[in-house]
Structure formats: structure tokens, C-alpha cells
Amino acid sequence: MLEHGGRLRAAALRWGIARERWLDLSTGISPWSWLADRAPPISLDAWQRLPEDDDGLAEAAAAYYGAAALPVAGSQAAIQALPRLRGSSRVGVLAGSYAEHALCWQRAGHAVIALDADGIDAAVDTLDVLLLVHPDNPSGLVHARSQLLDWHTRLAARDGWLIVDEAFVDATPALSLADHSQRPGLILLRSLGKFFGLAGARVGFVLAQDALREALAEQLGPWTIAGPARQIAMLALQDRGWHAQQRSRLHEASARLHELMADAGLPADGGCALFQWHRGDQAAALHEALAVRGILTRLYYAPAPSLRFGLPSSEAEWQRLAEALVGRVATRRFDGCAKVMAGRDPPYDRITP
């Protein structure tokens, strides 16, 4: 299996630092969880009885997303099942994007074509499926809605699919295609893991035309989400006041992280409201230098060395990261990183033509 961020036990063993002493910035999950802010009681029925589909979760999701949604056991369940709903296909994915997508399509026997951002438009008419994470993980790249809809139209004309993984879009909902999700061949994946800070609940949703949602539900089978997780998800989706508060603090924290990295001579090359991303040959050395201080980042080797930084949650965590980047790491070991992007706008506002 692929490795992902958040593997604190493995980090604790590797670097000999107790798990509770780590500052984990490796996941892209909000450090502020809806459950920590609200902590609602869970009914005994949720533990004793099998989950029931008519408990209101689908309706709460439809109200939140503005579209009919199939609850699934995290978007990973859909990522693994969707390739089984098509015959042999040519599937385009953005090089360096979230690797589970390409892996699952390859395992199902499809031909996966790695694309760079500038080559997507030229490649669309040669593909059966175009799969994008939006905003991208880890680059934060976003596309204009008009461009996404144009790609969808060209694919759908040949019974193709546009799959858009919107795991990080909740903080910038204007980027979502949820209002178009009943179009044939448009499939959107959503998750409560990142924005809501509920990754452990394993709750996600698929927004798509009715027939495709029904086919996917048959593929996944019954009781895909545990009863307690269904209750928590329903309450979280209905909490509109918390949604506004969360968006505000995520954008503020992401802009602060962007500025901190620039001050340390590690300019962000991309990102979104939940993380910032730095690309450079020194990424592995910086990852190691931070890890020996108990700060875990997400290291990527392909298509180029890079680091993804999640958000600190408290002033003590911000100070700890600042001291590591500016005082102990950046100024002593990485003086060669030019501050070429220090004045750039936050990268979650960046839109490709």
C-alpha cells in the first residue's frame, strides 16, 4: 500500500521521539475538529443497531452540498470502487497528484496516463476518464469552473467521465462543481476528513447522476458507514455557524503559514486553505531537520522533491515551527533559498487559465 501522512507511530520509532511530543503537520487535515468544538452525545442505538440509510444523513448531505449525495466510507471507498464500474479505459491523472487514484485505476486494469497541468486540454479528447483533485494535493492547483465544465462536455460526448476529488474544496466552496453534479459523466468526491477534521470517522460522499450513485451503492454493499459516524456526520453537516467560523480560521492560518515560510526563505510553490507546499532539492534534508525536532511534514520525491506543511493550531505550535524554520533550520542550513515569492498572494487564490 502507499504511504500517507499522519504516521506518527512510525515517526516516533524512527526518530526516537515520544508520540505525544510531535507536532504533526503531515496530513492536510484541519487541526480544528468539529467534534472537539461540539462533542455531542452519541445515542446508544447508534452502537447497538445496524446503520439505516433513512436516518437523515443523505438529506443533511444534500442540504450541505446542494446536490444528491451517496454516503460512503470515506472517499477512499469510492476511489477503489469507481474503476470497477467501467470497461478498459484511458485515464488521465495529474502527475504528482494524490497517488491513490492512479494506483486504483491501474490495479483495475486501466491505462493511466500522467499529465502535466499545461497538457490537460490537449489530452482530453484522447481520454475516457479525466481525474483531478481540486484543489490539487499537494500543489494546490485549481482550474476555472468554465474550464472544468468544458473538459466534462468533451468527455461526456464520448460517454467519458470527469472525476473531481473535492476533498479540500470546503473552505473555498465557489470552486466546487456540486451544482452541476447531475450531468452525465460528472462525478464528484467529497470528504469530512479534511475541512471538518473528522478523518477517523471515515465518512465521504459521492455526488453524481442518480444511476451512477445507485450502481456504486450496489458495488459497495450495505452498512458502509458505522452508526456513530453517521450521527456525527449528520450533525456536523448541519452546523452552518461552525462552517463559517472554520473557513475564516483556515484561511487566516494558511495565509500566516504562507508568510512564515517566505520569511524563512522557503517560499510556497502552491497550497490551499489547509496546507502549503514547498518544492526544492533541499526538501528531504529539511524534512529530516524538522523531524529530529519533532515536527513531521509530508515529504514527496516525485515528480520533484517537495514538502507539504499542514497548519499549526495553537500559538505554542506556531512559535515552535517558526523557531525551527527561521531560527534553527532556515538561517543555518538553507540560506540558499531565495525569497522570490514573499509578496505573492496566497496560492489558494491561484487559478489556471
Side-chain angles (χ1 to χ4, degrees), residues 94 97 101 131-137 140-145 147-148 151 163-170 172 174-177 188-190 272 350-352:
L94 192 64
S97 190
H101 290 290
L131 204 159
L132 297 171
V133 182
H134 196 241
D136 184 53
N137 175 23
L141 179 69
V142 296
H143 309 276
R145 274 169 44 104
Q147 179 66 86
L148 293 171
W151 290 336
I163 303 175
V164 185
D165 183 342
E166 296 186 337
F168 293 96
V169 86
D170 295 78
T172 48
L175 296 176
S176 174
L177 295 181
L188 308 179
L189 309 181
R190 301 296 291 261
C272 68
R350 177 165 57 96
I351 298 191
T352 59

PDB file of all heavy atoms in Angstrom, residues 94 97 101 131-137 140-145 147-148 151 163-170 172 174-177 188-190 272 350-352:
ATOM      1  N   LEU A  94      -3.220  13.967 -13.069  1.00  0.00           N
ATOM      2  CA  LEU A  94      -2.168  14.973 -12.973  1.00  0.00           C
ATOM      3  C   LEU A  94      -0.943  14.361 -12.302  1.00  0.00           C
ATOM      4  O   LEU A  94      -1.045  13.784 -11.216  1.00  0.00           O
ATOM      5  CB  LEU A  94      -2.664  16.177 -12.171  1.00  0.00           C
ATOM      6  CG  LEU A  94      -1.811  17.445 -12.213  1.00  0.00           C
ATOM      7  CD1 LEU A  94      -1.749  18.013 -13.620  1.00  0.00           C
ATOM      8  CD2 LEU A  94      -2.373  18.488 -11.240  1.00  0.00           C
ATOM      9  N   SER A  97      -0.051  14.172  -8.333  1.00  0.00           N
ATOM     10  CA  SER A  97      -1.258  14.358  -7.528  1.00  0.00           C
ATOM     11  C   SER A  97      -1.472  13.157  -6.607  1.00  0.00           C
ATOM     12  O   SER A  97      -0.697  12.191  -6.615  1.00  0.00           O
ATOM     13  CB  SER A  97      -2.453  14.567  -8.440  1.00  0.00           C
ATOM     14  OG  SER A  97      -3.596  14.967  -7.706  1.00  0.00           O
ATOM     15  N   HIS A 101      -5.491   7.542  -6.545  1.00  0.00           N
ATOM     16  CA  HIS A 101      -6.332   7.492  -7.737  1.00  0.00           C
ATOM     17  C   HIS A 101      -5.673   6.667  -8.834  1.00  0.00           C
ATOM     18  O   HIS A 101      -6.253   5.715  -9.363  1.00  0.00           O
ATOM     19  CB  HIS A 101      -6.619   8.906  -8.232  1.00  0.00           C
ATOM     20  CG  HIS A 101      -7.533   9.682  -7.350  1.00  0.00           C
ATOM     21  ND1 HIS A 101      -8.873   9.391  -7.236  1.00  0.00           N
ATOM     22  CD2 HIS A 101      -7.309  10.744  -6.539  1.00  0.00           C
ATOM     23  CE1 HIS A 101      -9.448  10.239  -6.400  1.00  0.00           C
ATOM     24  NE2 HIS A 101      -8.511  11.073  -5.954  1.00  0.00           N
ATOM     25  N   LEU A 131      -9.234  12.538 -14.327  1.00  0.00           N
ATOM     26  CA  LEU A 131      -9.365  12.519 -12.868  1.00  0.00           C
ATOM     27  C   LEU A 131      -8.500  13.624 -12.281  1.00  0.00           C
ATOM     28  O   LEU A 131      -7.283  13.632 -12.467  1.00  0.00           O
ATOM     29  CB  LEU A 131      -8.927  11.153 -12.340  1.00  0.00           C
ATOM     30  CG  LEU A 131      -9.497  10.744 -10.990  1.00  0.00           C
ATOM     31  CD1 LEU A 131      -9.433   9.251 -10.823  1.00  0.00           C
ATOM     32  CD2 LEU A 131      -8.767  11.440  -9.865  1.00  0.00           C
ATOM     33  N   LEU A 132      -9.140  14.553 -11.560  1.00  0.00           N
ATOM     34  CA  LEU A 132      -8.435  15.683 -10.980  1.00  0.00           C
ATOM     35  C   LEU A 132      -8.775  15.799  -9.502  1.00  0.00           C
ATOM     36  O   LEU A 132      -9.927  15.583  -9.096  1.00  0.00           O
ATOM     37  CB  LEU A 132      -8.842  16.983 -11.681  1.00  0.00           C
ATOM     38  CG  LEU A 132      -8.504  17.091 -13.171  1.00  0.00           C
ATOM     39  CD1 LEU A 132      -9.156  18.337 -13.756  1.00  0.00           C
ATOM     40  CD2 LEU A 132      -7.007  17.117 -13.392  1.00  0.00           C
ATOM     41  N   VAL A 133      -7.784  16.151  -8.693  1.00  0.00           N
ATOM     42  CA  VAL A 133      -8.009  16.573  -7.316  1.00  0.00           C
ATOM     43  C   VAL A 133      -8.059  18.093  -7.347  1.00  0.00           C
ATOM     44  O   VAL A 133      -7.200  18.745  -7.946  1.00  0.00           O
ATOM     45  CB  VAL A 133      -6.884  16.082  -6.388  1.00  0.00           C
ATOM     46  CG1 VAL A 133      -7.156  16.496  -4.947  1.00  0.00           C
ATOM     47  CG2 VAL A 133      -6.728  14.570  -6.501  1.00  0.00           C
ATOM     48  N   HIS A 134      -9.086  18.689  -6.729  1.00  0.00           N
ATOM     49  CA  HIS A 134      -9.336  20.119  -6.926  1.00  0.00           C
ATOM     50  C   HIS A 134      -9.864  20.777  -5.650  1.00  0.00           C
ATOM     51  O   HIS A 134     -10.997  20.519  -5.260  1.00  0.00           O
ATOM     52  CB  HIS A 134     -10.365  20.288  -8.057  1.00  0.00           C
ATOM     53  CG  HIS A 134     -10.440  21.661  -8.612  1.00  0.00           C
ATOM     54  ND1 HIS A 134     -11.587  22.407  -8.564  1.00  0.00           N
ATOM     55  CD2 HIS A 134      -9.508  22.416  -9.228  1.00  0.00           C
ATOM     56  CE1 HIS A 134     -11.374  23.578  -9.143  1.00  0.00           C
ATOM     57  NE2 HIS A 134     -10.120  23.600  -9.554  1.00  0.00           N
ATOM     58  N   PRO A 135      -9.032  21.614  -4.986  1.00  0.00           N
ATOM     59  CA  PRO A 135      -7.641  21.940  -5.268  1.00  0.00           C
ATOM     60  C   PRO A 135      -6.764  20.691  -5.224  1.00  0.00           C
ATOM     61  O   PRO A 135      -7.038  19.757  -4.472  1.00  0.00           O
ATOM     62  CB  PRO A 135      -7.263  22.914  -4.154  1.00  0.00           C
ATOM     63  CG  PRO A 135      -8.551  23.462  -3.650  1.00  0.00           C
ATOM     64  CD  PRO A 135      -9.528  22.339  -3.796  1.00  0.00           C
ATOM     65  N   ASP A 136      -5.685  20.738  -6.009  1.00  0.00           N
ATOM     66  CA  ASP A 136      -4.825  19.573  -6.102  1.00  0.00           C
ATOM     67  C   ASP A 136      -4.078  19.347  -4.790  1.00  0.00           C
ATOM     68  O   ASP A 136      -3.779  20.280  -4.045  1.00  0.00           O
ATOM     69  CB  ASP A 136      -3.817  19.763  -7.243  1.00  0.00           C
ATOM     70  CG  ASP A 136      -2.954  18.536  -7.443  1.00  0.00           C
ATOM     71  OD1 ASP A 136      -3.527  17.434  -7.598  1.00  0.00           O
ATOM     72  OD2 ASP A 136      -1.713  18.662  -7.428  1.00  0.00           O
ATOM     73  N   ASN A 137      -3.766  18.091  -4.547  1.00  0.00           N
ATOM     74  CA  ASN A 137      -2.960  17.677  -3.407  1.00  0.00           C
ATOM     75  C   ASN A 137      -1.709  16.987  -3.947  1.00  0.00           C
ATOM     76  O   ASN A 137      -1.826  15.956  -4.614  1.00  0.00           O
ATOM     77  CB  ASN A 137      -3.766  16.700  -2.547  1.00  0.00           C
ATOM     78  CG  ASN A 137      -2.968  16.117  -1.405  1.00  0.00           C
ATOM     79  OD1 ASN A 137      -1.979  16.675  -0.959  1.00  0.00           O
ATOM     80  ND2 ASN A 137      -3.408  14.954  -0.916  1.00  0.00           N
ATOM     81  N   GLY A 140      -1.963  22.313  -4.708  1.00  0.00           N
ATOM     82  CA  GLY A 140      -2.968  23.349  -4.520  1.00  0.00           C
ATOM     83  C   GLY A 140      -3.496  23.928  -5.810  1.00  0.00           C
ATOM     84  O   GLY A 140      -4.298  24.868  -5.782  1.00  0.00           O
ATOM     85  N   LEU A 141      -3.090  23.391  -6.960  1.00  0.00           N
ATOM     86  CA  LEU A 141      -3.512  23.912  -8.254  1.00  0.00           C
ATOM     87  C   LEU A 141      -5.032  23.850  -8.389  1.00  0.00           C
ATOM     88  O   LEU A 141      -5.658  22.851  -8.054  1.00  0.00           O
ATOM     89  CB  LEU A 141      -2.857  23.095  -9.369  1.00  0.00           C
ATOM     90  CG  LEU A 141      -3.206  23.487 -10.801  1.00  0.00           C
ATOM     91  CD1 LEU A 141      -2.607  24.839 -11.155  1.00  0.00           C
ATOM     92  CD2 LEU A 141      -2.722  22.402 -11.774  1.00  0.00           C
ATOM     93  N   VAL A 142      -5.623  24.939  -8.895  1.00  0.00           N
ATOM     94  CA  VAL A 142      -7.053  24.960  -9.179  1.00  0.00           C
ATOM     95  C   VAL A 142      -7.271  25.425 -10.615  1.00  0.00           C
ATOM     96  O   VAL A 142      -6.414  26.064 -11.222  1.00  0.00           O
ATOM     97  CB  VAL A 142      -7.842  25.860  -8.202  1.00  0.00           C
ATOM     98  CG1 VAL A 142      -7.754  25.326  -6.797  1.00  0.00           C
ATOM     99  CG2 VAL A 142      -7.348  27.302  -8.259  1.00  0.00           C
ATOM    100  N   HIS A 143      -8.438  25.066 -11.142  1.00  0.00           N
ATOM    101  CA  HIS A 143      -8.808  25.409 -12.507  1.00  0.00           C
ATOM    102  C   HIS A 143     -10.109  26.200 -12.477  1.00  0.00           C
ATOM    103  O   HIS A 143     -10.947  26.016 -11.592  1.00  0.00           O
ATOM    104  CB  HIS A 143      -9.016  24.150 -13.352  1.00  0.00           C
ATOM    105  CG  HIS A 143      -7.881  23.178 -13.282  1.00  0.00           C
ATOM    106  ND1 HIS A 143      -6.767  23.287 -14.073  1.00  0.00           N
ATOM    107  CD2 HIS A 143      -7.690  22.084 -12.500  1.00  0.00           C
ATOM    108  CE1 HIS A 143      -5.932  22.302 -13.795  1.00  0.00           C
ATOM    109  NE2 HIS A 143      -6.461  21.564 -12.839  1.00  0.00           N
ATOM    110  N   ALA A 144     -10.303  27.062 -13.454  1.00  0.00           N
ATOM    111  CA  ALA A 144     -11.564  27.791 -13.581  1.00  0.00           C
ATOM    112  C   ALA A 144     -12.707  26.796 -13.786  1.00  0.00           C
ATOM    113  O   ALA A 144     -12.555  25.784 -14.477  1.00  0.00           O
ATOM    114  CB  ALA A 144     -11.484  28.764 -14.744  1.00  0.00           C
ATOM    115  N   ARG A 145     -13.850  27.089 -13.183  1.00  0.00           N
ATOM    116  CA  ARG A 145     -15.011  26.199 -13.356  1.00  0.00           C
ATOM    117  C   ARG A 145     -15.373  26.038 -14.832  1.00  0.00           C
ATOM    118  O   ARG A 145     -15.743  24.954 -15.276  1.00  0.00           O
ATOM    119  CB  ARG A 145     -16.203  26.749 -12.577  1.00  0.00           C
ATOM    120  CG  ARG A 145     -16.236  26.329 -11.115  1.00  0.00           C
ATOM    121  CD  ARG A 145     -17.273  27.103 -10.309  1.00  0.00           C
ATOM    122  NE  ARG A 145     -18.538  27.257 -10.974  1.00  0.00           N
ATOM    123  CZ  ARG A 145     -19.662  26.553 -10.665  1.00  0.00           C
ATOM    124  NH1 ARG A 145     -19.624  25.626  -9.721  1.00  0.00           N
ATOM    125  NH2 ARG A 145     -20.776  26.778 -11.297  1.00  0.00           N
ATOM    126  N   GLN A 147     -13.417  25.977 -17.335  1.00  0.00           N
ATOM    127  CA  GLN A 147     -12.501  25.021 -17.945  1.00  0.00           C
ATOM    128  C   GLN A 147     -12.874  23.596 -17.578  1.00  0.00           C
ATOM    129  O   GLN A 147     -12.885  22.699 -18.436  1.00  0.00           O
ATOM    130  CB  GLN A 147     -11.070  25.314 -17.501  1.00  0.00           C
ATOM    131  CG  GLN A 147     -10.030  24.350 -18.057  1.00  0.00           C
ATOM    132  CD  GLN A 147      -9.871  24.453 -19.552  1.00  0.00           C
ATOM    133  OE1 GLN A 147      -9.111  25.269 -20.045  1.00  0.00           O
ATOM    134  NE2 GLN A 147     -10.599  23.614 -20.299  1.00  0.00           N
ATOM    135  N   LEU A 148     -13.183  23.356 -16.319  1.00  0.00           N
ATOM    136  CA  LEU A 148     -13.593  22.021 -15.886  1.00  0.00           C
ATOM    137  C   LEU A 148     -14.854  21.572 -16.625  1.00  0.00           C
ATOM    138  O   LEU A 148     -14.950  20.417 -17.065  1.00  0.00           O
ATOM    139  CB  LEU A 148     -13.838  22.008 -14.382  1.00  0.00           C
ATOM    140  CG  LEU A 148     -12.618  22.206 -13.487  1.00  0.00           C
ATOM    141  CD1 LEU A 148     -13.047  22.379 -12.037  1.00  0.00           C
ATOM    142  CD2 LEU A 148     -11.650  21.029 -13.608  1.00  0.00           C
ATOM    143  N   TRP A 151     -14.044  20.589 -20.191  1.00  0.00           N
ATOM    144  CA  TRP A 151     -13.461  19.246 -20.249  1.00  0.00           C
ATOM    145  C   TRP A 151     -14.526  18.182 -20.059  1.00  0.00           C
ATOM    146  O   TRP A 151     -14.534  17.155 -20.737  1.00  0.00           O
ATOM    147  CB  TRP A 151     -12.359  19.110 -19.201  1.00  0.00           C
ATOM    148  CG  TRP A 151     -11.133  19.914 -19.510  1.00  0.00           C
ATOM    149  CD1 TRP A 151     -10.723  20.340 -20.742  1.00  0.00           C
ATOM    150  CD2 TRP A 151     -10.161  20.378 -18.582  1.00  0.00           C
ATOM    151  NE1 TRP A 151      -9.543  21.052 -20.630  1.00  0.00           N
ATOM    152  CE2 TRP A 151      -9.169  21.087 -19.314  1.00  0.00           C
ATOM    153  CE3 TRP A 151     -10.004  20.275 -17.197  1.00  0.00           C
ATOM    154  CZ2 TRP A 151      -8.060  21.677 -18.714  1.00  0.00           C
ATOM    155  CZ3 TRP A 151      -8.913  20.864 -16.592  1.00  0.00           C
ATOM    156  CH2 TRP A 151      -7.942  21.557 -17.342  1.00  0.00           C
ATOM    157  N   ILE A 163     -13.916  12.957 -13.238  1.00  0.00           N
ATOM    158  CA  ILE A 163     -13.989  12.716 -11.792  1.00  0.00           C
ATOM    159  C   ILE A 163     -13.185  13.807 -11.107  1.00  0.00           C
ATOM    160  O   ILE A 163     -12.004  14.006 -11.415  1.00  0.00           O
ATOM    161  CB  ILE A 163     -13.413  11.337 -11.421  1.00  0.00           C
ATOM    162  CG1 ILE A 163     -14.147  10.234 -12.173  1.00  0.00           C
ATOM    163  CG2 ILE A 163     -13.500  11.113  -9.917  1.00  0.00           C
ATOM    164  CD1 ILE A 163     -13.551   8.841 -11.949  1.00  0.00           C
ATOM    165  N   VAL A 164     -13.812  14.510 -10.178  1.00  0.00           N
ATOM    166  CA  VAL A 164     -13.146  15.583  -9.460  1.00  0.00           C
ATOM    167  C   VAL A 164     -13.195  15.268  -7.968  1.00  0.00           C
ATOM    168  O   VAL A 164     -14.275  15.194  -7.375  1.00  0.00           O
ATOM    169  CB  VAL A 164     -13.799  16.956  -9.732  1.00  0.00           C
ATOM    170  CG1 VAL A 164     -12.991  18.066  -9.057  1.00  0.00           C
ATOM    171  CG2 VAL A 164     -13.904  17.211 -11.231  1.00  0.00           C
ATOM    172  N   ASP A 165     -12.029  15.066  -7.397  1.00  0.00           N
ATOM    173  CA  ASP A 165     -11.902  14.819  -5.965  1.00  0.00           C
ATOM    174  C   ASP A 165     -11.835  16.176  -5.265  1.00  0.00           C
ATOM    175  O   ASP A 165     -10.840  16.881  -5.354  1.00  0.00           O
ATOM    176  CB  ASP A 165     -10.633  13.999  -5.709  1.00  0.00           C
ATOM    177  CG  ASP A 165     -10.458  13.621  -4.245  1.00  0.00           C
ATOM    178  OD1 ASP A 165     -11.105  14.252  -3.374  1.00  0.00           O
ATOM    179  OD2 ASP A 165      -9.647  12.721  -3.963  1.00  0.00           O
ATOM    180  N   GLU A 166     -12.912  16.537  -4.588  1.00  0.00           N
ATOM    181  CA  GLU A 166     -13.020  17.843  -3.942  1.00  0.00           C
ATOM    182  C   GLU A 166     -12.779  17.756  -2.436  1.00  0.00           C
ATOM    183  O   GLU A 166     -13.384  18.484  -1.652  1.00  0.00           O
ATOM    184  CB  GLU A 166     -14.394  18.453  -4.229  1.00  0.00           C
ATOM    185  CG  GLU A 166     -14.628  18.751  -5.707  1.00  0.00           C
ATOM    186  CD  GLU A 166     -15.932  19.484  -5.975  1.00  0.00           C
ATOM    187  OE1 GLU A 166     -16.874  19.393  -5.139  1.00  0.00           O
ATOM    188  OE2 GLU A 166     -16.029  20.154  -7.023  1.00  0.00           O
ATOM    189  N   ALA A 167     -11.849  16.925  -2.026  1.00  0.00           N
ATOM    190  CA  ALA A 167     -11.582  16.715  -0.605  1.00  0.00           C
ATOM    191  C   ALA A 167     -11.182  17.994   0.112  1.00  0.00           C
ATOM    192  O   ALA A 167     -11.427  18.143   1.315  1.00  0.00           O
ATOM    193  CB  ALA A 167     -10.496  15.657  -0.421  1.00  0.00           C
ATOM    194  N   PHE A 168     -10.545  18.938  -0.612  1.00  0.00           N
ATOM    195  CA  PHE A 168     -10.049  20.163   0.016  1.00  0.00           C
ATOM    196  C   PHE A 168     -10.850  21.404  -0.383  1.00  0.00           C
ATOM    197  O   PHE A 168     -10.402  22.519  -0.155  1.00  0.00           O
ATOM    198  CB  PHE A 168      -8.576  20.372  -0.357  1.00  0.00           C
ATOM    199  CG  PHE A 168      -7.652  19.338   0.217  1.00  0.00           C
ATOM    200  CD1 PHE A 168      -7.259  18.242  -0.531  1.00  0.00           C
ATOM    201  CD2 PHE A 168      -7.179  19.440   1.522  1.00  0.00           C
ATOM    202  CE1 PHE A 168      -6.411  17.281  -0.003  1.00  0.00           C
ATOM    203  CE2 PHE A 168      -6.342  18.481   2.061  1.00  0.00           C
ATOM    204  CZ  PHE A 168      -5.949  17.398   1.294  1.00  0.00           C
ATOM    205  N   VAL A 169     -12.029  21.244  -0.950  1.00  0.00           N
ATOM    206  CA  VAL A 169     -12.735  22.391  -1.517  1.00  0.00           C
ATOM    207  C   VAL A 169     -13.671  23.086  -0.528  1.00  0.00           C
ATOM    208  O   VAL A 169     -14.138  24.193  -0.791  1.00  0.00           O
ATOM    209  CB  VAL A 169     -13.525  21.960  -2.776  1.00  0.00           C
ATOM    210  CG1 VAL A 169     -14.911  21.419  -2.411  1.00  0.00           C
ATOM    211  CG2 VAL A 169     -13.636  23.103  -3.776  1.00  0.00           C
ATOM    212  N   ASP A 170     -13.938  22.477   0.630  1.00  0.00           N
ATOM    213  CA  ASP A 170     -14.961  23.033   1.524  1.00  0.00           C
ATOM    214  C   ASP A 170     -14.647  24.445   1.992  1.00  0.00           C
ATOM    215  O   ASP A 170     -15.558  25.230   2.258  1.00  0.00           O
ATOM    216  CB  ASP A 170     -15.138  22.128   2.746  1.00  0.00           C
ATOM    217  CG  ASP A 170     -15.696  20.768   2.377  1.00  0.00           C
ATOM    218  OD1 ASP A 170     -14.919  19.937   1.891  1.00  0.00           O
ATOM    219  OD2 ASP A 170     -16.893  20.544   2.572  1.00  0.00           O
ATOM    220  N   THR A 172     -13.278  26.684   0.179  1.00  0.00           N
ATOM    221  CA  THR A 172     -13.478  27.560  -0.984  1.00  0.00           C
ATOM    222  C   THR A 172     -14.608  26.980  -1.828  1.00  0.00           C
ATOM    223  O   THR A 172     -14.396  26.518  -2.953  1.00  0.00           O
ATOM    224  CB  THR A 172     -12.187  27.670  -1.823  1.00  0.00           C
ATOM    225  OG1 THR A 172     -11.653  26.343  -2.040  1.00  0.00           O
ATOM    226  CG2 THR A 172     -11.137  28.505  -1.122  1.00  0.00           C
ATOM    227  N   ALA A 174     -16.901  28.009  -3.685  1.00  0.00           N
ATOM    228  CA  ALA A 174     -17.198  28.539  -5.017  1.00  0.00           C
ATOM    229  C   ALA A 174     -16.471  27.762  -6.116  1.00  0.00           C
ATOM    230  O   ALA A 174     -16.860  27.828  -7.290  1.00  0.00           O
ATOM    231  CB  ALA A 174     -16.812  30.014  -5.094  1.00  0.00           C
ATOM    232  N   LEU A 175     -15.426  27.014  -5.756  1.00  0.00           N
ATOM    233  CA  LEU A 175     -14.693  26.214  -6.734  1.00  0.00           C
ATOM    234  C   LEU A 175     -15.395  24.899  -7.063  1.00  0.00           C
ATOM    235  O   LEU A 175     -15.071  24.250  -8.052  1.00  0.00           O
ATOM    236  CB  LEU A 175     -13.286  25.892  -6.213  1.00  0.00           C
ATOM    237  CG  LEU A 175     -12.329  27.054  -5.983  1.00  0.00           C
ATOM    238  CD1 LEU A 175     -11.027  26.547  -5.362  1.00  0.00           C
ATOM    239  CD2 LEU A 175     -12.045  27.787  -7.287  1.00  0.00           C
ATOM    240  N   SER A 176     -16.358  24.495  -6.241  1.00  0.00           N
ATOM    241  CA  SER A 176     -16.988  23.189  -6.402  1.00  0.00           C
ATOM    242  C   SER A 176     -17.899  23.145  -7.627  1.00  0.00           C
ATOM    243  O   SER A 176     -18.513  24.148  -8.014  1.00  0.00           O
ATOM    244  CB  SER A 176     -17.794  22.847  -5.150  1.00  0.00           C
ATOM    245  OG  SER A 176     -18.523  21.644  -5.339  1.00  0.00           O
ATOM    246  N   LEU A 177     -18.021  21.954  -8.201  1.00  0.00           N
ATOM    247  CA  LEU A 177     -18.967  21.710  -9.292  1.00  0.00           C
ATOM    248  C   LEU A 177     -20.231  21.012  -8.805  1.00  0.00           C
ATOM    249  O   LEU A 177     -20.961  20.423  -9.595  1.00  0.00           O
ATOM    250  CB  LEU A 177     -18.303  20.848 -10.369  1.00  0.00           C
ATOM    251  CG  LEU A 177     -17.122  21.454 -11.130  1.00  0.00           C
ATOM    252  CD1 LEU A 177     -16.616  20.470 -12.176  1.00  0.00           C
ATOM    253  CD2 LEU A 177     -17.506  22.772 -11.785  1.00  0.00           C
ATOM    254  N   LEU A 188     -18.242  13.691  -8.501  1.00  0.00           N
ATOM    255  CA  LEU A 188     -17.524  14.476  -7.503  1.00  0.00           C
ATOM    256  C   LEU A 188     -17.375  13.667  -6.218  1.00  0.00           C
ATOM    257  O   LEU A 188     -18.325  13.010  -5.770  1.00  0.00           O
ATOM    258  CB  LEU A 188     -18.265  15.775  -7.194  1.00  0.00           C
ATOM    259  CG  LEU A 188     -18.659  16.645  -8.395  1.00  0.00           C
ATOM    260  CD1 LEU A 188     -19.401  17.879  -7.928  1.00  0.00           C
ATOM    261  CD2 LEU A 188     -17.438  17.035  -9.219  1.00  0.00           C
ATOM    262  N   LEU A 189     -16.188  13.730  -5.632  1.00  0.00           N
ATOM    263  CA  LEU A 189     -15.916  13.056  -4.366  1.00  0.00           C
ATOM    264  C   LEU A 189     -15.731  14.098  -3.280  1.00  0.00           C
ATOM    265  O   LEU A 189     -14.959  15.043  -3.440  1.00  0.00           O
ATOM    266  CB  LEU A 189     -14.651  12.199  -4.471  1.00  0.00           C
ATOM    267  CG  LEU A 189     -14.577  11.221  -5.648  1.00  0.00           C
ATOM    268  CD1 LEU A 189     -13.275  10.434  -5.604  1.00  0.00           C
ATOM    269  CD2 LEU A 189     -15.779  10.292  -5.666  1.00  0.00           C
ATOM    270  N   ARG A 190     -16.436  13.922  -2.175  1.00  0.00           N
ATOM    271  CA  ARG A 190     -16.307  14.826  -1.039  1.00  0.00           C
ATOM    272  C   ARG A 190     -15.960  14.024   0.217  1.00  0.00           C
ATOM    273  O   ARG A 190     -16.203  12.824   0.291  1.00  0.00           O
ATOM    274  CB  ARG A 190     -17.612  15.620  -0.823  1.00  0.00           C
ATOM    275  CG  ARG A 190     -18.041  16.459  -2.003  1.00  0.00           C
ATOM    276  CD  ARG A 190     -17.055  17.571  -2.344  1.00  0.00           C
ATOM    277  NE  ARG A 190     -17.020  18.600  -1.329  1.00  0.00           N
ATOM    278  CZ  ARG A 190     -17.679  19.764  -1.409  1.00  0.00           C
ATOM    279  NH1 ARG A 190     -18.446  20.032  -2.466  1.00  0.00           N
ATOM    280  NH2 ARG A 190     -17.582  20.671  -0.451  1.00  0.00           N
ATOM    281  N   CYS A 272      -3.361  25.451  -0.428  1.00  0.00           N
ATOM    282  CA  CYS A 272      -4.774  25.817  -0.327  1.00  0.00           C
ATOM    283  C   CYS A 272      -5.025  26.227   1.116  1.00  0.00           C
ATOM    284  O   CYS A 272      -4.086  26.485   1.866  1.00  0.00           O
ATOM    285  CB  CYS A 272      -5.670  24.646  -0.743  1.00  0.00           C
ATOM    286  SG  CYS A 272      -5.638  23.230   0.373  1.00  0.00           S
ATOM    287  N   ARG A 350      -4.941  31.034  -6.607  1.00  0.00           N
ATOM    288  CA  ARG A 350      -4.356  30.940  -7.933  1.00  0.00           C
ATOM    289  C   ARG A 350      -5.251  30.080  -8.828  1.00  0.00           C
ATOM    290  O   ARG A 350      -5.623  28.972  -8.494  1.00  0.00           O
ATOM    291  CB  ARG A 350      -2.968  30.293  -7.811  1.00  0.00           C
ATOM    292  CG  ARG A 350      -2.260  30.067  -9.126  1.00  0.00           C
ATOM    293  CD  ARG A 350      -0.786  29.790  -8.851  1.00  0.00           C
ATOM    294  NE  ARG A 350      -0.626  28.651  -7.964  1.00  0.00           N
ATOM    295  CZ  ARG A 350      -0.394  27.422  -8.392  1.00  0.00           C
ATOM    296  NH1 ARG A 350      -0.311  27.181  -9.668  1.00  0.00           N
ATOM    297  NH2 ARG A 350      -0.225  26.437  -7.530  1.00  0.00           N
ATOM    298  N   ILE A 351      -5.572  30.591 -10.007  1.00  0.00           N
ATOM    299  CA  ILE A 351      -6.419  29.872 -10.938  1.00  0.00           C
ATOM    300  C   ILE A 351      -5.715  29.778 -12.276  1.00  0.00           C
ATOM    301  O   ILE A 351      -5.188  30.764 -12.785  1.00  0.00           O
ATOM    302  CB  ILE A 351      -7.797  30.561 -11.115  1.00  0.00           C
ATOM    303  CG1 ILE A 351      -8.534  30.568  -9.770  1.00  0.00           C
ATOM    304  CG2 ILE A 351      -8.624  29.896 -12.191  1.00  0.00           C
ATOM    305  CD1 ILE A 351      -9.975  30.971  -9.858  1.00  0.00           C
ATOM    306  N   THR A 352      -5.695  28.602 -12.864  1.00  0.00           N
ATOM    307  CA  THR A 352      -5.079  28.452 -14.162  1.00  0.00           C
ATOM    308  C   THR A 352      -5.990  29.040 -15.225  1.00  0.00           C
ATOM    309  O   THR A 352      -7.197  29.135 -15.047  1.00  0.00           O
ATOM    310  CB  THR A 352      -4.834  26.967 -14.481  1.00  0.00           C
ATOM    311  OG1 THR A 352      -6.091  26.289 -14.453  1.00  0.00           O
ATOM    312  CG2 THR A 352      -3.903  26.340 -13.473  1.00  0.00           C
TER     313      THR A 352
END
